[in-house]
């Protein structure tokens, strides 16, 4: 009497190898996204810090009398103000620069247009523009506009 043979008892070696190749490709694809994701998260944190610094500076400028020396036409200060903040790497700090440009806003009496520039890695310590950067550090500069009237 003949016994029935099972057609399949498990996975063949080829099926296992194909599964390993597909899994490896998926894992490597996901790992390729990690550096880009980290860079975007770091830049988002820096942009948030820059937004905060700009808002603080605009609040200070709005609280000044219109005759203040910080609200005369021109660029203030001559050398950017520098602020430090913590970074994702707790052993380092990051340096941000703030300066602003004031112009008379002629459509309204006693009004000033103020453009606040906040940057990350844009200026050297002496206030000169950087011509090169450390590898992997992206220079970021944002402009924020406000109007001051009194």
């Amino acid at each position: 009497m003949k016994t029935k043979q099972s057609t399949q008892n498990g996975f063949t070696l080829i099926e296992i190898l194909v599964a390993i190749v597909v899994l490896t490709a998926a894992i490597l694809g996901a790992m390729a996204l990690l550096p880009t994701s980290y860079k975007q998260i770091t830049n988002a944190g820096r942009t948030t810090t820059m937004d905060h610094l700009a808002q603080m500076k605009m609040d200070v400028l709005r609280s000044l009398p219109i005759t203040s020396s910080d609200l005369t036409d021109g660029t203030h200060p001559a050398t950017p103000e520098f602020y430090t903040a913590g970074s994702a790497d707790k052993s380092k700090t990051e340096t941000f620069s703030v300066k602003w440009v004031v112009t008379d806003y002629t459509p309204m009496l006693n009004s000033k247009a103020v453009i606040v520039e906040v940057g990350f890695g844009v200026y050297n310590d002496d206030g000169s523009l950087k011509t090169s950067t450390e590898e992997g550090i992206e220079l970021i500069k944002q402009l924020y506009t406000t109007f001051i009237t009194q």
Side-chain angles (χ1 to χ4, degrees):
M1 191 167 186
K2 274 187 172 177
T3 60
K4 234 183 189 181
Q5 269 189 331
S6 174
T7 57
Q8 187 173 14
N9 289 332
F11 296 108
T12 65
L13 183 58
I14 292 178
E15 290 172 328
I16 291 173
L17 289 174
V18 168
I20 288 172
V21 167
V22 168
L23 222 78
T24 302
I27 290 171
L28 290 176
M31 287 178 61
L33 296 175
L34 292 177
T36 302
S37 300
Y38 181 76
K39 183 178 178 182
Q40 289 177 341
I41 290 169
T42 301
N43 284 341
R46 289 175 181 154
T47 301
T48 301
T49 301
M50 292 167 50
D51 291 344
H52 180 69
L53 288 171
Q55 189 62 50
M56 286 187 342
K57 181 49 70 178
M58 288 188 294
D59 288 344
V60 167
L61 293 172
R62 284 187 206 111
S63 71
L64 297 173
I66 201 87
T67 57
S68 170
S69 61
D70 281 341
L71 293 176
T72 58
D73 284 0
T75 302
H76 301 274
T79 301
E81 296 175 350
F82 291 101
Y83 297 89
T84 57
S87 70
D89 179 356
K90 300 297 181 195
S91 65
K92 296 181 181 178
T93 58
E94 296 184 330
T95 304
F96 297 85
S97 59
V98 177
K99 69 179 190 172
W100 59 97
V101 178
V102 179
T103 56
D104 282 328
Y105 186 63
T106 54
M108 295 177 68
L109 283 168
N110 293 328
S111 297
K112 302 283 184 172
V114 180
I115 299 172
V116 177
E117 175 194 292
V118 183
F120 172 76
V122 178
Y123 295 99
N124 294 310
D125 291 339
D126 64 357
S128 60
L129 281 171
K130 284 191 176 178
T131 55
S132 64
T133 64
E134 297 173 33
E135 189 173 318
I137 294 182
E138 186 174 334
L139 304 181
I140 307 170
K141 183 168 76 170
Q142 299 276 351
L143 300 176
Y144 305 83
T145 304
T146 189
F147 297 94
I148 300 172
T149 61
Q150 289 182 353

